Amino acid sequence: SDAPREQMITLGQAFQQLNTQIREQTLTPDSAQMRFQGILRELRDVTEPYRQKICNDSIRFVFPLKDYNEEHIGGNGFGFRPRGFNLFDHAVQGSHPAHDIFIYDRNQDSVDDQTDLPVDVLAMRPGVVVATETNWTPESSYRGGNFVWIYDPCLDGLFYYAHHSKVMVEVGDEIVMGQKIAEVGRTGLNAAKRRSGTHLHLMYLQLTPEALPQPINTYDWLADAEVIR
C-alpha cells in the first residue's frame, strides 16, 4: 500500500479520540478546532502518494445504498440544514448538515422489507477510513450510533456515514468507490426511536485551505451517482 498504514492508523486514532472528546465536552471548542486542523493537515501529507495514484480529473460518485437511489432521500432533498453547524461544540444542536436516505423497513428490524436482507452501505468515493464506531448500545446517549468517517484525498474532504447496524471497515483501510463499508441500521440516540424511519445519515465536510470543515449539500452528487444493484 502506498499510504503509510501505520501513520494512517495513528492519525485515525487521534481523530477518533478527538471525536470522543468533542462529544464528551472535555475540550474547549477552540482547542478541538486546533487539534482537528493539525490532524487533517498531517492527513493531507500522509495521503499525498495515494492521491497521486488514485486521483484524476473525473469526479464520480456511487450512490451510498445498494439498490436505492435519490428518490429515497428524506424530505425531497430539503433535509440539508447547515445553519448553526459547529463540529467542535457538541452543545450546539439543531443543525442537520446532511441527508437521510431511507430504506423500506416498516417493522424497523433493519432489514429491507422487499428482499428480507440488510441494506449495504457503499462508499460514495475512494478514500481512507479515519474513524469508526462499532459497539454502540442503547445505553449510549450519543447521536451517531455506529459510524464511519472516510477522508477523500481527491476532494480533500470527509464523508461521514452513520446509524449502521454493522461496520465492515477499520481505521487505516484504503477504500475503493462502491465498496461495502457497513449495513444500514437504527443505532444512535434518535435513530433508535420508533418515530424514526430506518435510514443512512450522510454528511460531507469540505476542508478549507486552513483545514476547517465546511458542510456541503451532497444532493446533486447523490442525484448523479451511479446506482449499484
Side-chain angles (χ1 to χ4, degrees):
S1 140
D2 296 23
R5 190 178 166 91
E6 291 310 307
Q7 275 176 286
M8 282 302 320
I9 291 172
T10 305
L11 283 171
Q13 286 164 343
F15 185 83
Q16 198 132 349
Q17 181 189 26
L18 175 60
N19 253 325
T20 305
Q21 291 169 320
I22 291 170
R23 189 171 70 219
E24 294 172 355
Q25 299 180 28
T26 54
L27 274 183
T28 66
D30 284 354
S31 306
Q33 177 182 312
M34 282 176 62
R35 193 164 298 182
F36 178 92
Q37 288 173 285
I39 293 168
L40 270 296
R41 284 183 170 130
E42 211 173 322
L43 198 56
R44 280 174 172 161
D45 293 343
V46 171
T47 52
E48 186 53 44
Y50 182 57
R51 184 182 290 117
Q52 290 171 359
K53 181 178 73 169
I54 66 160
C55 303
N56 54 36
D57 294 337
S58 79
I59 297 292
R60 293 169 36 242
F61 300 92
V62 160
F63 197 80
L65 294 187
K66 191 175 177 212
D67 285 326
Y68 282 79
N69 61 32
E70 82 270 15
E71 289 166 23
H72 300 273
I73 300 171
N76 298 319
F78 290 102
F80 179 83
R81 299 185 307 278
R83 191 188 162 100
F85 171 73
N86 186 337
L87 186 66
F88 309 115
D89 188 349
H90 194 74
V92 176
Q93 297 184 18
S95 72
H96 189 264
H99 286 293
D100 292 336
I101 307 169
F102 291 83
I103 68 166
Y104 298 113
D105 181 23
R106 282 185 185 278
N107 61 355
Q108 302 194 340
D109 62 355
S110 298
V111 168
D112 187 308
D113 293 343
Q114 298 179 312
T115 63
D116 282 332
L117 296 167
V119 176
D120 293 351
V121 178
L122 309 175
M124 286 188 75
R125 297 267 315 141
V128 180
V129 178
V130 288
T132 64
E133 175 63 61
T134 56
N135 42 22
W136 184 87
T137 65
E139 293 76 52
S140 315
S141 61
Y142 57 93
R143 301 192 292 269
N146 293 328
F147 59 72
V148 177
W149 282 94
I150 296 178
Y151 171 68
D152 179 337
C154 307
L155 294 176
D156 190 30
L158 291 161
F159 283 89
Y160 172 71
Y161 305 81
H163 306 325
H164 316 307
S165 61
K166 269 192 199 155
V167 169
M168 278 41 193
V169 294
E170 294 178 352
V171 170
D173 286 356
E174 291 181 14
I175 302 300
V176 297
M177 187 163 59
Q179 180 175 336
K180 178 177 178 177
I181 57 172
E183 291 177 356
V184 176
R186 301 180 55 79
T187 59
L189 182 61
N190 293 324
K193 292 178 178 160
R194 286 212 62 82
R195 61 179 162 77
S196 171
T198 309
H199 65 276
L200 166 69
H201 174 92
L202 173 82
M203 173 174 70
Y204 174 73
L205 301 175
Q206 181 62 55
L207 296 176
T208 66
E210 304 77 43
L212 289 171
Q214 299 285 337
I216 298 288
N217 189 342
T218 56
Y219 187 81
D220 289 345
W221 294 355
L222 291 164
D224 293 340
E226 177 192 350
V227 172
I228 294 188
R229 302 270 175 215

